[in-house]
Amino acid sequence: MLTAKETRESFKAFFASKGHQIVPSAPMVIKGDPTLMFTNAGMNQFKDIILGNVPIKYPRIADSQKCLRVSGKHNDLEEVGHDTYHHTMFEMLGNWSFGDYFKKEAISWAWEYLVDVLKLDPDRLYATVFEGSPKEGLSRDDEAAGYWEQFLPEDHILNGNKKDNFWEMGDTGPCGPCSEIHIDLRSDKERAAMSGAEMVNKDHPQVIEIWNLVFMQYNRKADGSLDPLPAKVIDTGMGFERLCMALQGKTSNYDTDAFQPIIQDIASKSGFAYGRDKQKDIAMRVIADHIRTIAFSITDGQLPSNAKAGYVIRRILRRAVRYGYTFLDRREAFMYKLLPVLIETMGDAYPELISQKTLIEKVIKEEEESFLRTLETGIRLLDKKIAEATAAGINVLNGTDAFTLYDTYGFPLDLTELILRENKMEVDLDAFNAEMQKQKERARNAAAIETGDWMIVKNGDSQFVGYDHFECDVEILRYRKIKQKNKELYQLVLDKTPFYAEMGGQVGDIGWLINGDEKIDIIDTKRENNLPVHLTARLPKDITASFTAKINVEKRVQCECNHTGTHLLHEALREVLGTHVEQKGSFVSPETLRFDFSHYQKVTDEEIREIEKLVGKKIRENYKMEEFRSVPIKQAKEMGAMALFGEKYGDEVRVIKYGNSIELCGGTHIPSTGMIGSLRIVGESSIAAGVRRIEAVTAEKAEEYTFTLQDILSELRQLMNNMPNVVQAVKKSIEENAEMKNKLDLFVKEKTKRLKEELLARAENKNGVLIVRYCGVGNADMGKDIAFQLKGEINEPFAFVGGFIESPKCTLMVMLSDDLVAEGSNASKLVKDASRHIQGGGGGQPHFATAGGKNPDGLTIAINEIIESLNK
């Protein structure tokens, strides 16, 4: 029986023997593709090749790819862990052909690997083929069916509909029929009772798809029509975990050695055995699945956060914590302790887990502790809502309240329902779902982009010349209209361009397309599927004309100063803080730079000053930029350039060197460091456990920052009567102010004490209740002080009813003794009823309540009404 590790290696070895180049897994978190946050299929890293945007280097490729799916077919996050074979993070074994072999080889090699190499029982295998779509003029895929007939009997070759057997990259783009391979893992008795053919694609946990062979042969246009692809593509994907289940004779992916070491570690740490309790088993499966997703996301540079991809990771982590909290009694952070067993299970294939171990542990631990605090807060809030509903005789929780708990506090709906059931209540699911739908629509509308088909002006490749030129003569290759937030824009692809397309944290260039008197503004430059795409508000009059493409040089140079500044800053951070510092993200614009890096404590003021001095020294030394283009990645690393985890590098890279600063970088940079002028750090903060952020400015922006500080200092001097030592003068002023405040506090306390004594002297006893009243100038704090002093000093039934005027507003206040509250009096109700006289509102507790208003003239009437109510 093959282990998971052996299975992964056997797949690679088999396809290497068939002439495939074995490539490493791309990062699971995608950067530079606006259409995807995560790698959700093995083909993602080859999109540029499939779309024809980059040349084909290897016509045959195979790999094992880390993937993440949290939505879509069979991958609802809330279901993962409840069944036997669906996951968030999973491995996809795949082989590709770019214009080389096609259906015949893909099918025969799949059969050879599964049956001849892995020795799977051929009688348990079924293949599906596309049944065709008359509506689109597509006939049945008889070609694929014919090849399958060489290996399978007719009743094991099944027709599949468009949903299951026609694969599409998106609404537009490459697509084609596919052939799925399913395996029937049921017992012989079950198979004899019902044929596996009847169970295919029926969501049976033991009759599952293990491999999908996609035959890309069409291009889907925006109008829905299909054009043949000039170069056909084979794209296959096999679920690694499912294959392990089939090979190891298990009925669940979670029972294989891909998961069991993690699950048994969870069982050991929780004190609950796996396999004895359904809910606890689900919890362990959820945690085992999710710890893989979270750890790999962090290694790929995606930290949990409240936005986009980071929000997805945070949601997955919190789901795991919640299952541990609810079903395994985990009240303290524990998931980070699973990392050693995860490394033991997957570290050989993915060494980034080993090198990033400390960071992963710190991030997960902090996120766990934070959410556990949130859970406690959510439970308190839910308890309050339950108490309010119970008091009102209601046994249904408002769906809006449940959604607020979910959306604001990350409190899962199923946990809300569980707690409600324990209190014989339920949630208004219709209202909850309505709020959820509104949120989804808001997100969809904010991100929605309608794109038309590319209109081809001329054929050719796009070439970036912006490293060497700020302007050049160009022609438009293609264009299309897009609609975003109800605004029509156009995207242009040029045959060559000096415009840098947003990538690696550096924003895209802006500038102009010029043809005679016509000047088209380029308002942004993005990178889409490795193409520089220029955004404009309108099209040129003559789309076929020649143009001068000219970037905004001032903005570009400002950006380059900031980008080069990040390189010098990175080097200085490693010199001052230590070589554990690694870049975790950056943002570079003409106005500012932001640099995220691994470090486990706040950077002190002294360290910041030392870092600034070091960067300043490197700037003054005026290092010339040394640029090395198309350097083999191995040679670049030998030069000392650091490769960042989470980045996908090609075989050849660009290296930028300033003195001892050597980095792999595709961004634009200034010719020499002296042009930066100076760098000033304007902010230092934590963005996650073990990750700090520095914000800084350079060049003119650094000058402006210095000028602002000088202006502030000058104003302070004037305020301090031009005293030479401003700091000493400010300290003295603060001390004098504190002394005056203490004196004022004593004065207010004394005044409050005298007023309280005067009120007690004028107090009236009505029906056995001492009534203390006041109406006059004063603030709410003074009134509250008096009220609670009276409560602590008076040992008989009493009521304090006060009105305090702070023109133009006023406050109405009631304090009742415990005796009166026990007899049924309620300060909150009294205040609410009487607050109409002051044109305000308020409330509080039965013994103490306040109301604010804007009509001080109504205070006397309100006070009299409250006293009269008490008398009754």
Side-chain angles (χ1 to χ4, degrees):
M1 181 183 77
L2 291 178
T3 65
K5 294 178 182 179
E6 290 168 341
T7 300
R8 187 188 293 114
E9 292 309 309
S10 82
F11 178 86
K12 295 178 184 178
F14 175 79
F15 279 98
S17 73
K18 303 296 184 184
H20 290 66
Q21 176 71 26
I22 307 302
V23 299
S25 170
M28 193 167 68
V29 180
I30 291 180
K31 298 170 184 175
D33 186 341
T35 65
L36 279 176
M37 288 192 293
F38 302 103
T39 296
N40 63 3
M43 56 73 58
N44 292 154
Q45 69 165 308
F46 307 117
K47 273 177 69 175
D48 294 336
I49 299 174
I50 296 168
L51 292 168
N53 296 331
V54 298
I56 297 169
K57 185 169 184 179
Y58 305 113
R60 299 181 182 186
I61 284 175
D63 72 352
S64 177
Q65 172 65 51
K66 301 175 292 184
C67 297
L68 173 59
R69 290 183 186 172
V70 289
S71 62
K73 179 184 174 184
H74 302 312
N75 284 284
D76 189 322
L77 174 61
E78 297 306 323
E79 294 177 3
V80 170
H82 288 255
D83 67 11
T84 61
Y85 58 97
H86 288 119
H87 307 288
T88 50
M89 182 263 174
F90 62 98
E91 290 182 75
M92 185 77 83
L93 304 175
N95 57 287
W96 285 265
S97 164
F98 306 111
D100 189 4
Y101 62 82
F102 203 48
K103 296 180 185 180
K104 180 181 179 181
E105 293 84 354
I107 290 171
S108 63
W109 288 339
W111 183 265
E112 181 183 349
Y113 180 63
L114 292 176
V115 176
D116 297 343
V117 176
L118 298 183
K119 308 300 182 185
L120 288 176
D121 182 356
D123 190 46
R124 292 178 177 270
L125 297 176
Y126 294 83
T128 61
V129 297
F130 181 46
E131 66 184 6
S133 173
K135 181 180 175 182
E136 297 191 86
L138 295 172
S139 59
R140 180 177 183 263
D141 192 355
D142 291 330
E143 181 186 2
Y147 293 132
W148 279 120
E149 288 169 3
Q150 298 176 32
F151 307 107
L152 287 168
E154 186 178 342
D155 61 351
H156 280 233
I157 303 170
L158 312 173
N159 287 344
N161 58 28
K162 184 179 176 185
K163 177 185 174 185
D164 291 324
N165 282 87
F166 194 88
W167 187 91
E168 306 201 45
M169 185 181 289
D171 293 334
T172 60
C175 57
C178 61
S179 190
E180 296 177 339
I181 303 173
H182 296 253
I183 189 166
D184 185 351
L185 299 174
R186 295 175 302 155
S187 67
D188 290 339
K189 182 179 179 182
E190 289 175 297
R191 293 171 63 217
M194 180 174 286
S195 166
E198 297 180 53
M199 309 300 295
V200 167
N201 279 329
K202 297 295 191 300
D203 291 332
H204 191 287
Q206 266 75 61
V207 184
I208 57 171
E209 173 198 346
I210 55 171
W211 206 344
N212 190 12
L213 314 180
V214 177
F215 314 124
M216 289 189 218
Q217 57 192 92
Y218 303 109
N219 180 51
R220 174 81 68 184
K221 301 179 71 175
D223 64 3
S225 61
L226 296 171
D227 286 343
L229 280 178
K232 295 177 181 179
V233 174
I234 285 293
D235 163 12
T236 87
M238 177 156 54
F240 171 69
E241 293 81 5
R242 295 183 183 193
L243 180 62
C244 290
M245 175 175 68
L247 291 174
Q248 295 178 19
K250 306 296 184 181
T251 57
S252 167
N253 292 359
Y254 294 99
D255 290 341
T256 69
D257 65 344
F259 284 97
Q260 270 302 302
I262 305 172
I263 288 174
Q264 293 304 324
D265 197 35
I266 296 167
S268 173
K269 286 178 168 58
S270 67
F272 298 108
Y274 181 71
R276 296 184 182 176
D277 180 277
K278 179 181 178 181
Q279 290 293 349
K280 288 180 172 56
D281 289 352
I282 290 173
M284 292 185 199
R285 291 197 294 268
V286 166
I287 295 164
D289 174 277
H290 290 5
I291 187 65
R292 301 184 348 151
T293 299
I294 299 155
F296 277 109
S297 297
I298 294 169
T299 66
D300 286 347
Q302 182 56 65
L303 303 172
S305 71
N306 286 330
K308 297 181 180 178
Y311 176 72
V312 175
I313 302 307
R314 175 165 283 168
R315 184 182 171 207
I316 292 171
L317 188 150
R318 288 183 167 189
R319 182 172 186 258
V321 173
R322 195 270 301 173
Y323 269 90
Y325 182 95
T326 305
F327 301 108
L328 302 179
D329 298 331
R330 297 295 88 196
R331 297 296 185 265
E332 295 180 352
F334 72 98
M335 283 178 58
Y336 74 97
K337 297 177 182 177
L338 302 174
L339 197 56
V341 70
L342 176 62
I343 288 174
E344 175 64 27
T345 305
M346 302 185 76
D348 290 347
Y350 302 103
E352 59 265 35
L353 288 172
I354 301 169
S355 59
Q356 301 270 57
K357 179 176 181 290
T358 302
L359 176 66
I360 300 168
E361 286 179 333
K362 286 183 177 292
V363 171
I364 294 178
K365 184 172 185 286
E366 183 170 292
E367 282 287 322
E368 284 188 88
E369 290 172 343
S370 173
F371 184 53
L372 285 167
R373 291 191 294 270
T374 300
L375 272 177
E376 296 290 351
T377 302
I379 288 171
R380 286 196 297 271
L381 288 170
L382 183 55
D383 287 344
K384 181 182 177 183
K385 294 293 181 183
I386 291 171
E388 291 173 355
T390 302
I394 300 170
N395 67 349
V396 177
L397 178 70
N398 186 299
T400 304
D401 290 335
F403 183 77
T404 299
L405 282 167
Y406 168 82
D407 192 46
T408 305
Y409 298 94
F411 208 66
L413 176 64
D414 52 357
L415 183 56
T416 299
E417 291 180 305
L418 178 67
I419 294 171
L420 288 174
R421 280 196 298 272
E422 292 170 353
N423 289 272
K424 296 181 172 57
M425 290 181 65
E426 58 185 22
V427 66
D428 183 349
L429 286 175
D430 290 340
F432 178 89
N433 291 330
E435 292 296 324
M436 178 69 81
Q437 189 60 34
K438 288 178 189 175
Q439 186 196 60
K440 288 180 178 178
E441 287 173 3
R442 286 193 296 269
R444 190 160 45 242
N445 291 337
I449 300 178
E450 297 177 23
T451 59
D453 284 324
W454 285 110
M455 306 303 292
I456 307 298
V457 180
K458 60 177 292 187
N459 293 317
D461 296 326
S462 182
Q463 179 187 5
F464 175 63
V465 297
Y467 293 141
D468 305 307
H469 304 284
F470 288 159
E471 63 179 85
C472 65
D473 294 333
V474 303
E475 292 182 335
I476 296 173
L477 294 178
R478 63 179 99 161
Y479 68 92
R480 70 180 176 186
K481 182 192 291 187
I482 68 168
K483 190 174 183 181
Q484 186 173 14
K485 296 181 180 179
N486 294 320
K487 186 176 181 180
E488 287 189 350
L489 298 167
Y490 293 89
Q491 294 179 335
L492 312 178
V493 176
L494 310 177
D495 62 342
K496 53 182 175 293
T497 178
F499 287 81
Y500 182 81
E502 181 177 332
M503 187 175 66
Q506 181 177 333
V507 300
D509 280 329
I510 60 174
W512 308 271
L513 273 184
I514 304 167
N515 177 23
D517 295 333
E518 186 180 30
K519 196 173 187 180
I520 304 292
D521 289 334
I522 303 293
I523 56 180
D524 200 359
T525 311
K526 299 285 189 182
R527 189 173 300 275
E528 186 172 320
N529 297 319
N530 211 41
L531 275 179
V533 178
H534 308 74
L535 202 64
T536 70
R538 62 187 178 91
L539 287 175
K541 294 173 185 175
D542 182 1
I543 207 77
T544 64
S546 294
F547 300 87
T548 297
K550 185 176 182 180
I551 67 171
N552 185 317
V553 177
E554 181 183 355
K555 294 293 185 184
R556 161 71 82 83
V557 172
Q558 289 172 346
C559 217
E560 290 181 342
C561 286
N562 282 329
H563 200 154
T564 302
T566 64
H567 285 214
L568 302 184
L569 180 63
H570 189 188
E571 185 190 8
L573 285 165
R574 288 172 65 83
E575 288 184 38
V576 174
L577 303 179
T579 54
H580 65 279
V581 167
E582 289 183 358
Q583 180 179 337
K584 293 298 172 188
S586 67
F587 174 78
V588 177
S589 74
E591 289 73 32
T592 187
L593 70 87
R594 194 172 67 216
F595 190 80
D596 302 336
F597 58 99
S598 53
H599 188 55
Y600 305 113
Q601 60 194 38
K602 179 178 174 57
V603 184
T604 66
D605 292 341
E606 293 77 13
E607 288 169 334
I608 287 176
R609 181 59 55 84
E610 188 177 351
I611 291 163
E612 284 183 316
K613 284 182 176 180
L614 262 176
V615 174
K617 184 173 183 290
K618 297 174 193 300
I619 290 171
R620 290 189 300 275
E621 287 172 346
N622 199 27
Y623 291 118
K624 304 298 181 188
M625 179 179 73
E626 298 178 60
E627 180 189 23
F628 305 88
R629 299 183 192 176
S630 301
V631 178
I633 183 72
K634 182 180 179 182
Q635 181 183 334
K637 290 179 180 178
E638 290 171 352
M639 292 170 64
M642 286 193 302
L644 304 179
F645 284 104
E647 294 291 341
K648 176 68 177 176
Y649 298 104
D651 295 329
E652 294 183 342
V653 294
R654 179 169 175 257
V655 178
I656 298 296
K657 184 175 185 293
Y658 292 98
N660 293 325
S661 168
I662 309 172
E663 300 211 12
L664 301 176
C665 186
T668 63
H669 290 273
I670 50 174
S672 60
T673 60
M675 292 177 65
I676 297 175
S678 64
L679 179 146
R680 287 289 173 264
I681 294 174
V682 299
E684 191 276 345
S685 60
S686 169
I687 61 167
V691 180
R692 309 295 300 183
R693 169 172 291 171
I694 277 183
E695 295 172 83
V697 289
T698 67
E700 291 181 9
K701 296 297 179 182
E703 286 183 1
E704 291 173 10
Y705 178 71
T706 303
F707 293 154
T708 299
L709 292 179
Q710 288 177 332
D711 291 343
I712 292 171
L713 184 59
S714 178
E715 288 182 31
L716 278 174
R717 280 206 176 99
Q718 291 177 30
L719 288 171
M720 298 299 164
N721 298 318
N722 290 316
M723 290 185 67
N725 191 328
V726 178
V727 175
Q728 194 61 42
V730 171
K731 282 183 179 178
K732 184 179 178 182
S733 178
I734 291 171
E735 290 168 359
E736 290 174 349
N737 184 61
E739 187 178 347
M740 290 178 66
K741 186 178 181 301
N742 289 334
K743 290 179 179 178
L744 181 61
D745 288 344
L746 290 172
F747 173 76
V748 170
K749 285 181 181 178
E750 185 60 34
K751 183 180 178 182
T752 301
K753 181 182 177 184
R754 286 201 303 270
L755 177 59
K756 181 190 69 175
E757 291 170 351
E758 290 173 9
L759 296 178
L760 279 172
R762 297 201 301 266
E764 300 178 51
N765 193 307
K766 294 187 177 182
N767 300 325
V769 177
L770 187 66
I771 304 294
V772 183
R773 63 179 290 164
Y774 172 75
C775 185
V777 176
N779 59 45
D781 288 339
M782 182 177 75
K784 188 175 181 180
D785 194 8
I786 291 173
F788 279 90
Q789 282 189 39
L790 291 172
K791 183 174 175 62
E793 295 172 6
I794 299 174
N795 296 319
E796 58 185 295
F798 87 97
F800 169 63
V801 186
F804 299 87
I805 301 170
E806 277 186 292
S807 186
K809 297 181 180 180
C810 61
T811 302
L812 180 64
M813 185 177 295
V814 174
M815 169 69 83
L816 301 179
S817 64
D818 294 338
D819 318 65
L820 295 184
V821 173
E823 291 174 5
S825 294
N826 189 306
S828 180
K829 186 176 185 309
L830 291 168
V831 162
K832 284 179 181 177
D833 292 345
S835 62
R836 68 186 187 280
H837 297 299
I838 61 172
Q839 297 176 21
Q845 298 171 297
H847 71 280
F848 179 70
T850 63
K854 54 185 178 181
N855 179 29
D857 294 338
L859 274 175
T860 301
I861 299 172
I863 291 170
N864 289 336
E865 181 179 297
I866 291 171
I867 292 174
E868 187 178 341
S869 296
L870 286 167
N871 288 335
K872 289 180 181 178

